C-alpha cells in the first residue's frame, strides 16, 4: 500500500440534501490495528453519548446525524474508515470538518477516558451475547469469522483482543492513519439543473 499524495477532495453535484464523507485508509481485518478502528468507531459515533454525536448533533447543532463505518471497501483487504454527516446546510461543511478533526486531534493528544473504553467493551460483549442467542446468529457469527479470518474460533478471541485495547492504542492509530496523506473528502453540492 502507498498513501495517497495528500488530501483528496471531491464535490458531487446532484439534487440532494447536504451530505459529506471523510475517509482514511485502514488496514485489513487481519492486521493488529483493525480492532482499534472498531473501538474508535464506537467512541466517535456509537450512540447518543458518543463524541461526534454530542459535538455535532446535540451541542453545535451543525448536523442532523453523524456516523462512522470501519468496513468501507470490505474488511478482508485494505479499505477505509469513514465518517459521514448530514449537515443542515452546505455552508456548514468546513465547520463540520473542523469539529471532526478537532475530536480526532483531542483523542490523539489526550486519549479516551476509561469510562468510554469500558462502555465500548461492554457494548461489544452485549452485542456478541445477543447475537449468539439463536442458532442463526451463532451460525452467522461463526461463518463470518471463518470466511474473513479462516478461523471460526476468532469469534471468542476477538473479545479477548478488544478487552486488551487501551487508550494508547487508539491514540496511536489516529496519529498513524488519520493524516492528510490518507484522507479523502466528498461533499454533495446541491444543483438545480
Amino acid at each position: 500500500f502507498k498513501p495517497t499524495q495528500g488530501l483528496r477532495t471531491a464535490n458531487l453535484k446532484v439534487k440532494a440534501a447536504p451530505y459529506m464523507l471523510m475517509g482514511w485508509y485502514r488496514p485489513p481485518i487481519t492486521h493488529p490495528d483493525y480492532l482499534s478502528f472498531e473501538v474508535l468507531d464506537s467512541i466517535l459515533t456509537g450512540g447518543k453519548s458518543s463524541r461526534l454525536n454530542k459535538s455535532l448533533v446535540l451541542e453545535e447543532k451543525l448536523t442532523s446525524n453523524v456516523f462512522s463505518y470501519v468496513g468501507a471497501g470490505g474488511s478482508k483487504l485494505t479499505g477505509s474508515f469513514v465518517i459521514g454527516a448530514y449537515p443542515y446546510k452546505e455552508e456548514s461543511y468546513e465547520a463540520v470538518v473542523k469539529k471532526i478533526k478537532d475530536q480526532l486531534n483531542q483523542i490523539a493528544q489526550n486519549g479516551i477516558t476509561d469510562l468510554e473504553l469500558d462502555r465500548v467493551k461492554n457494548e461489544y460483549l452485549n452485542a456478541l451475547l445477543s447475537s449468539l442467542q439463536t442458532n442463526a446468529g451463532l451460525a452467522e457469527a461463526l461463518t463470518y469469522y471463518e470466511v474473513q479470518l479462516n478461523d471460526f474460533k476468532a469469534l471468542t478471541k476477538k473479545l479477548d483482543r478488544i478487552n486488551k485495547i487501551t487508550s494508547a492504542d487508539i491514540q496511536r492509530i489516529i496519529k498513524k492513519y488519520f493524516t492528510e496523506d490518507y484522507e479523502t473528502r466528498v461533499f454533495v453540492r446541491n444543483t438545480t439543473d
Side-chain angles (χ1 to χ4, degrees), residues 20 144 188:
M20 60 173 282
Y144 174 82
V188 168

Side-chain angles (χ1 to χ4, degrees), residues 29-181:
I29 194 170
T30 54
H31 193 280
D33 288 341
Y34 187 86
L35 285 181
S36 294
F37 281 90
E38 287 193 8
V39 171
L40 178 62
D41 174 40
S42 188
I43 296 294
L44 292 175
T45 64
K48 291 182 180 179
S49 65
S50 64
R51 287 185 178 226
L52 289 178
N53 190 68
K54 282 184 356 187
S55 173
L56 293 171
V57 178
L58 302 176
E59 294 169 1
E60 300 291 330
K61 297 181 179 21
L62 289 170
T63 67
S64 61
N65 190 20
V66 62
F67 64 90
S68 54
Y69 183 61
V70 180
S75 57
K76 200 156 186 170
L77 303 173
T78 58
S80 297
F81 181 92
V82 173
I83 298 173
Y86 294 91
Y88 289 110
K89 52 188 177 181
E90 287 182 27
E91 295 78 19
S92 300
Y93 284 149
E94 290 308 314
V96 173
V97 168
K98 183 179 182 328
K99 289 291 180 185
I100 290 170
K101 299 286 263 187
D102 287 349
Q103 281 296 331
L104 291 170
N105 288 333
Q106 184 179 3
I107 295 170
Q109 296 306 313
N110 304 318
I112 57 176
T113 66
D114 290 341
L115 185 63
E116 287 175 304
L117 200 51
D118 288 344
R119 175 184 62 84
V120 171
K121 291 175 180 181
N122 288 334
E123 286 173 357
Y124 177 76
L125 177 60
N126 288 335
L128 174 65
L129 293 175
S130 177
S131 72
L132 301 179
Q133 289 182 355
T134 65
N135 288 339
L138 178 60
E140 182 180 338
L142 292 173
T143 302
Y144 174 82
Y145 287 99
E146 185 64 30
V147 169
Q148 294 294 322
L149 298 171
N150 299 322
D151 180 11
F152 68 89
K153 295 176 186 173
L155 172 66
T156 55
K157 294 175 189 173
K158 181 177 180 181
L159 183 57
D160 291 335
R161 290 180 54 216
I162 284 208
N163 281 325
K164 292 178 183 173
I165 291 174
T166 66
S167 177
D169 293 323
I170 305 303
Q171 288 177 280
R172 183 182 50 74
I173 67 161
I174 290 175
K175 290 175 184 176
K176 181 176 180 179
Y177 298 99
F178 289 77
T179 69
E180 286 194 353
D181 282 339

